[in-house]
Amino acid sequence: MNKSPRMTQACAAVGRMLDIACLKAKKDDEVTVFDAKDEVPVGMGDYLARWVKHTKNDALVLVPAMVLLDRAISRSGLSLTNRRKHRLVLAALVITQKISFDINHSNVIYSRIGGVTLEEVTRLEREFLRIIDWDCSVSAEEYDEYVTALGC
């Protein structure tokens, strides 16, 4: 799959927004299942582009994932830190993928794309769903609001 300019721009824009959110986040000393041992050396834009490329989706799949990510952060009080952002985003992407498409990959594939073990991706997905109380719906209004905000 070729990188379209739209996909590249959308991934880069969402990645920048997540990086900025990390800079503004309060320091959070609580360790969660979403915390990596070390900061992930891959930028968020590249991480998102990798997801879109390997799942063969349009970059607009990022929109409902960001809705779910915001929902998880607001309900849990978690800060979006540099050690946490990739795993939170991965969980949001896995869930969005599963609820948005009839045909999905296995968690083995998602773990490889996301750079974590099968056990980790399963644990991240389960905890994320618990945090959002299984509220995976994204209204048309929410979708449109995020499309506008993300500039997709």
Side-chain angles (χ1 to χ4, degrees):
M1 179 175 170
N2 294 330
K3 280 188 173 183
S4 71
R6 178 177 160 201
M7 183 200 82
T8 302
Q9 290 170 349
C11 292
V14 174
R16 278 191 304 276
M17 290 180 81
L18 291 168
D19 288 337
I20 290 168
C22 285
L23 292 174
K24 293 180 177 181
K26 63 181 172 66
K27 185 172 167 82
D28 191 348
D29 294 326
E30 177 188 353
V31 177
T32 72
V33 298
F34 298 105
D35 289 299
K37 291 178 184 172
D38 298 305
E39 287 186 23
V40 178
V42 178
M44 281 308 304
D46 290 337
Y47 192 77
L48 296 169
R50 177 181 169 84
W51 179 269
V52 171
K53 176 184 175 186
H54 290 289
T55 59
K56 296 181 175 42
N57 288 327
D58 186 272
L60 287 177
V61 74
L62 303 176
V63 175
M66 294 306 101
V67 173
L68 295 183
L69 178 64
D70 280 349
R71 188 174 295 157
I73 289 169
S74 68
R75 291 185 183 181
S76 68
L78 289 173
S79 294
L80 193 62
T81 66
N82 284 321
R83 291 183 185 220
R84 193 176 286 162
K85 66 184 175 186
H86 290 82
R87 289 167 182 240
L88 277 167
V89 167
L90 177 60
L93 287 168
V94 167
I95 293 164
T96 298
Q97 184 78 22
K98 289 181 177 183
I99 64 172
S100 299
F101 300 98
D102 293 331
I103 299 172
N104 285 292
H105 303 287
S106 70
N107 274 8
V108 170
I109 300 299
Y110 297 141
S111 69
R112 289 180 186 157
I113 296 170
V116 298
T117 67
L118 172 60
E119 293 77 17
E120 286 175 302
V121 79
T122 302
R123 185 174 60 243
L124 296 171
E125 179 184 11
R126 188 173 44 242
E127 180 62 12
F128 195 98
L129 286 166
R130 187 195 65 73
I131 288 170
I132 64 171
D133 196 27
W134 291 78
D135 181 7
C136 300
S137 63
V138 175
S139 70
E141 294 80 18
E142 285 175 307
Y143 186 88
D144 290 343
E145 179 185 331
Y146 278 73
V147 165
T148 301
L150 296 171
C152 296

